[in-house]
Amino acid sequence: MAIEWERSLNYLRGMLSDSVYKTYFAQTKLISQTVGHATISIPSGLDTSVYSAYKELIRLAWKETNHDDVAMEFEFQPQEAVPAAAKAEEGSFKEFIKPSVPLSSSYRFENFVPGDKAQLAFNAALAVARNPNGTQYNPLFIYGPSGLGKTHLLQAIGNYILEENPTKRVCYLTSEDFSQQYMKCLREQRITEMSDFYRNDVDILLIDDIQNWSGKYELQNEFFLIFNALHQAGKQIVLTSDAPAAEVKNLSDRLVSRFAWGLTVDIQPPDVETREAILHKKAEERHLEISDDVLHYLAENIASNVRCLESAIIKLTLQSSLLNHDIDMSIAQKVVTEIAPTLRRRVSLDSVLHTVSAHYEVPEAKLIESGRGTKEVSKARQVAMYLMRELSPISLQSIGSRFGGKDHSTVVHAINSVKKEMAADPSFARLIENLKNSIHD
């Protein structure tokens, strides 16, 4: 029985670095084999999660060397008994609270299509993954609107590092996960254990959506201390947000300053060519045959974010299956019809007015009165007109009538003014996007 496993090990030796092979595979043994099934013995004291990460590669090694596809099972040898005193001291924070969120294997650099609008972010993330020792681009701060791939790049960094060196201690969290950890440790008076864990047991820290820390100053202070300790130890930190750190509301100045130590890069919505490339990649992953004409039609008509493009591919598959019909233009048109309401939502005009009024602190009555108003009122009114046009099929004349009977040329001027400022000022463009996403009926 050992011959088949020896062949597989020789294959793995050629695919892995010497340190990984010697640590995790050199002492493994094949202990049982039946038709379609093989059990591998793993020595005690090794990290069991590593073998889950390598399971597919191990199965491939067996298949390539023995011309046989089997289900792989690992039998981990029990560790020697540890004294009770040592057990009480060991991993207390890990037992108290889950310190990391599992990475999704679907987030990889190979299936990320950057295009011109995300190329710099992609290159920076890959550079960090290839050299995760905190010496370059530390911290790496990636920002951009929701649904454009920030989480994909963040987890791709973690997956790449673990594949290259499974001994690296990668910790991935959302900002909300970290907040919940902090609150739980605060209630239980275990903040010191939390701090010690991040300082001593983490090599790469990946945190998603730090804009959610807005106004949480005690939490920000704790993270400031953790950040300093990790940075001084040369450990890599990667953060994402929907806006640059300086534009995150109620984020402490000293955190903004620390985040500026490294590299800040942004991701913008993809153009038509990139959207088409993303759709093509998603179709390939699902082994779908879709014509270039259909992909181009979808790319032109779904101009939102990557999540909507993924949704389009899923809906194409479902429609094709339900109708028992090949994917063609008629099915693509059905899908666009389904997705379009989420891209151009039919929100009420009152919802737009309420949101804009709250943000600019201008009374709604001032927004809709017939007079010109102050500079602040005029700016808020232009934004409201633009959002109404974006989020509703209402006509220009109807929008004008909502604002004291203004004619359609005034509305066109307002919309064009907002578009021009968005093109010239990325922070204003992000503000408009955030307002758009916050409007609900």
Side-chain angles (χ1 to χ4, degrees):
M1 290 195 299
I3 296 176
E4 291 87 348
W5 186 235
E6 286 297 328
R7 293 189 191 120
S8 301
L9 287 176
N10 287 332
Y11 183 96
L12 289 169
R13 188 183 289 114
M15 298 290 290
L16 303 168
S17 66
D18 286 343
S19 62
V20 170
Y21 177 80
K22 290 177 180 177
T23 302
Y24 292 100
F25 293 94
Q27 303 302 316
T28 59
K29 296 178 181 179
L30 176 68
I31 57 175
S32 71
Q33 179 188 358
T34 58
V35 177
H37 185 273
T39 302
I40 309 301
S41 173
I42 308 298
S44 64
L46 296 180
D47 187 352
T48 59
S49 64
V50 170
Y51 297 92
S52 296
Y54 280 112
K55 192 168 187 176
E56 283 304 308
L57 180 60
I58 296 169
R59 188 181 67 81
L60 176 64
W62 183 286
K63 184 177 180 180
E64 289 291 319
T65 56
N66 297 298
H67 309 291
D68 181 27
D69 198 3
V70 299
M72 307 299 301
E73 182 179 349
F74 305 118
E75 184 172 296
F76 299 96
Q77 300 306 311
Q79 294 190 16
E80 296 180 5
V82 179
K87 280 185 179 180
E89 186 177 349
E90 183 182 67
S92 55
F93 178 70
K94 293 181 181 180
E95 295 168 6
F96 173 62
I97 192 168
K98 193 172 185 178
S100 182
V101 175
L103 297 170
S104 170
S105 60
S106 63
Y107 290 134
R108 314 178 70 80
F109 287 113
E110 303 93 275
N111 59 7
F112 186 93
V113 181
D116 293 339
K117 303 295 182 69
Q119 190 66 58
L120 181 58
F122 177 86
N123 291 345
L126 185 57
V128 164
R130 287 173 171 168
N131 182 24
N133 299 315
T135 56
Q136 186 181 31
Y137 308 150
N138 196 23
L140 174 61
F141 192 100
I142 305 173
Y143 72 90
S146 176
L148 298 185
K150 301 187 299 296
T151 297
H152 189 138
L153 287 179
L154 198 62
Q155 294 203 32
I157 291 171
N159 282 321
Y160 186 101
I161 291 171
L162 287 174
E163 287 180 3
E164 292 297 306
N165 186 353
T167 63
K168 284 286 187 182
R169 298 169 296 182
V170 175
C171 180
Y172 165 76
L173 296 165
T174 67
S175 59
E176 190 58 33
D177 294 323
F178 187 89
S179 297
Q180 290 177 5
Q181 283 185 7
Y182 174 76
M183 294 305 297
K184 185 173 182 179
C185 291
L186 193 63
R187 288 193 303 268
E188 300 291 331
Q189 298 182 337
R190 301 181 71 163
I191 288 294
T192 300
E193 290 178 62
M194 178 179 175
S195 299
D196 288 346
F197 167 78
Y198 282 104
R199 286 175 169 84
N200 303 320
D201 295 324
V202 171
D203 295 319
I204 296 94
L205 181 59
L206 312 170
I207 299 188
D208 220 351
D209 293 328
I210 62 98
Q211 75 275 357
N212 294 324
W213 290 345
S214 172
K216 299 177 180 178
Y217 293 111
E218 290 186 1
L219 180 149
Q220 291 178 29
N221 182 63
E222 183 60 36
F223 185 73
F224 174 80
L225 300 174
I226 291 171
F227 179 99
N228 284 345
L230 290 176
H231 197 278
Q232 289 169 9
K235 296 180 177 181
Q236 181 67 51
I237 304 162
V238 187
L239 309 164
T240 74
S241 172
D242 63 3
E247 295 178 20
V248 175
K249 193 175 181 180
N250 297 323
L251 187 66
S252 68
D253 290 341
R254 60 181 186 172
L255 271 186
V256 172
S257 173
R258 292 298 189 278
F259 295 164
W261 281 357
L263 176 67
T264 297
V265 293
D266 70 332
I267 297 179
Q268 294 301 318
D271 55 24
V272 174
E273 291 75 14
T274 304
R275 295 199 297 272
E276 193 167 346
I278 291 170
L279 287 164
H280 184 77
K281 174 68 79 173
K282 298 298 179 186
E284 275 188 345
E285 290 173 0
R286 290 176 171 269
H287 307 291
L288 298 175
E289 292 186 9
I290 306 177
S291 71
D292 291 342
D293 288 343
V294 168
L295 290 176
H296 185 71
Y297 172 79
L298 292 171
E300 283 194 321
N301 287 277
I302 303 176
S304 182
N305 56 45
V306 177
R307 289 187 191 135
C308 286
L309 297 176
E310 292 174 340
S311 177
I313 293 296
I314 293 170
K315 288 180 180 293
L316 279 175
T317 306
L318 293 174
Q319 288 279 0
S320 175
S321 175
L322 290 171
L323 297 172
N324 194 25
H325 193 286
D326 291 340
I327 296 173
D328 59 11
M329 191 62 74
S330 65
I331 291 180
Q333 289 168 346
K334 287 179 181 292
V335 167
V336 169
T337 301
E338 288 183 18
I339 293 178
T342 65
L343 305 181
R344 191 179 180 85
R345 295 174 290 149
R346 294 174 177 268
V347 301
S348 72
L349 303 192
D350 287 339
S351 297
V352 175
L353 286 173
H354 178 72
T355 300
V356 174
S357 170
H359 175 78
Y360 283 100
E361 299 180 348
V362 173
E364 291 183 34
K366 288 283 186 182
L367 285 176
I368 61 176
E369 66 183 10
S370 58
R372 181 177 178 82
T374 64
K375 183 178 179 181
E376 290 75 18
V377 171
S378 178
K379 178 63 172 290
R381 185 181 293 141
Q382 287 182 341
V383 169
M385 289 180 175
Y386 172 83
L387 290 172
M388 286 181 182
R389 185 60 172 168
E390 281 290 297
L391 299 176
S392 170
I394 191 172
S395 67
L396 296 174
Q397 290 85 350
S398 297
I399 293 174
S401 66
R402 195 73 168 82
F403 292 88
K406 291 179 171 53
D407 61 36
H408 80 281
S409 62
T410 301
V411 179
V412 170
H413 173 74
I415 292 170
N416 288 338
S417 295
V418 171
K419 287 182 177 178
K420 184 177 180 180
E421 187 171 353
M422 288 173 67
D425 184 356
S427 64
F428 181 69
R430 286 190 294 275
L431 166 63
I432 297 299
E433 188 66 27
N434 290 336
L435 287 175
K436 186 188 298 185
N437 291 333
S438 69
I439 295 172
H440 301 285
D441 280 337

